[in-house]
Amino acid sequence: MTNERKKITVILAVATWTWVGSTALTSFGPRFIWSEDNYNLSALSLLLNVILGLWMVISLRRLFLNFDELELKIHLDSLAITLGLSVVFGMGFNISEQIGLLPFKADISALIMFMSLCYWFSLMINRRRYL
Amino acid sequence: MKNKLQELRKNRKLTQEQLAEIIGVSRQTINAIEKDKFDPSLPTAFRMAQLFEKKIEDIFLFNDKD
């Protein structure tokens, strides 16, 4: 791994974890840290969350621009599979809740977890295919 | 697509790592090209052709079935 790649990866990791932290702060802050009536702090926390989220997206894009052609192919292929499966299963998940097939509430976090697992498995399969 | 990259690289006494650095790709990409698992982009193929002083079609053997 080149020094530039290491730097980009570290920045992406920092951006991702601070975004995860700010998501937790925005979700639980109004209940456990400040009063739910304090809309200013909640709005500020949400704004911080969005800014950190954008930083994460920009960092991810920088990593993609640093990939060479094979790495790019592996990641784009994995992203395509993840996007396709997420749309299909996400819709199925949502519909199954609407028609009462799900015994629990269809939460967005379940979709994010599903997408993460899809991306990880697709990456492993594609890496095995090309490397 | 079949290619003669490994043969040309060995004739020049280059390692995959060294060739990757000259061409500007990762060592894994050179390895995948040599094993016919991945076809390089046109700019990469041109860089290889320039390096080995060959025509692209002398390095990469195009088969319409690929």
Side-chain angles (χ1 to χ4, degrees):
Chain A
M1 195 187 278
T2 63
N3 283 340
E4 194 191 355
R5 174 66 65 83
K6 275 182 196 160
K7 191 179 155 194
I8 292 170
T9 309
V10 168
I11 290 171
L12 177 61
V14 171
T16 304
W17 283 109
T18 50
W19 175 75
V20 169
S22 78
T23 304
L25 183 74
T26 309
S27 302
F28 301 114
R31 260 184 285 168
F32 301 111
I33 302 175
W34 60 85
S35 162
E36 282 179 305
D37 300 331
N38 194 338
Y39 294 113
N40 287 340
L41 263 183
S42 297
L44 196 68
S45 163
L46 184 64
L47 181 70
L48 178 73
N49 178 249
V50 171
I51 291 169
L52 287 171
L54 290 175
W55 182 36
M56 180 180 70
V57 172
I58 292 166
S59 304
L60 183 65
R61 187 167 180 271
R62 275 188 68 199
L63 179 67
F64 268 64
L65 290 174
N66 190 260
F67 281 155
D68 81 349
E69 53 200 79
L70 179 57
E71 290 169 316
L72 200 59
K73 185 178 173 64
I74 288 172
H75 280 266
L76 288 181
D77 193 29
S78 304
L79 277 177
I81 292 168
T82 304
L83 179 66
L85 287 177
S86 300
V87 169
V88 172
F89 284 95
M91 284 301 289
F93 193 51
N94 189 258
I95 291 167
S96 60
E97 190 200 22
Q98 285 174 14
I99 59 176
L101 282 177
L102 267 190
F104 51 87
K105 191 176 176 292
D107 203 79
I108 188 74
S109 57
L111 183 64
I112 292 171
M113 193 72 84
F114 176 78
M115 288 176 82
S116 307
L117 286 173
C118 273
Y119 193 47
W120 189 80
F121 275 112
S122 307
L123 269 183
M124 289 303 113
I125 291 166
N126 279 322
R127 284 180 66 85
R128 185 173 278 262
R129 194 168 136 203
Y130 291 109
L131 302 179
Chain B
M1 197 188 294
K2 298 270 179 214
N3 66 77
K4 295 178 181 172
L5 190 61
Q6 189 176 33
E7 181 190 327
L8 292 166
R9 176 177 63 77
K10 284 184 175 171
N11 285 346
R12 286 282 180 107
K13 294 185 171 51
L14 289 170
T15 62
Q16 286 187 341
E17 190 82 51
Q18 288 166 332
L19 178 62
E21 203 176 320
I22 295 167
I23 300 296
V25 294
S26 64
R27 187 198 60 77
Q28 287 86 348
T29 299
I30 296 294
N31 188 48
I33 296 169
E34 285 185 358
K35 286 183 177 172
D36 301 329
K37 287 183 174 180
F38 175 67
D39 295 333
S41 66
L42 202 51
T44 299
F46 267 109
R47 278 186 216 115
M48 287 171 173
Q50 277 179 346
L51 177 71
F52 295 116
E53 294 163 334
K54 300 264 183 198
K55 289 180 183 172
I56 287 180
E57 57 264 41
D58 292 335
I59 303 176
F60 298 97
L61 313 170
F62 179 68
N63 183 342
D64 213 10
K65 287 173 190 167
D66 289 336

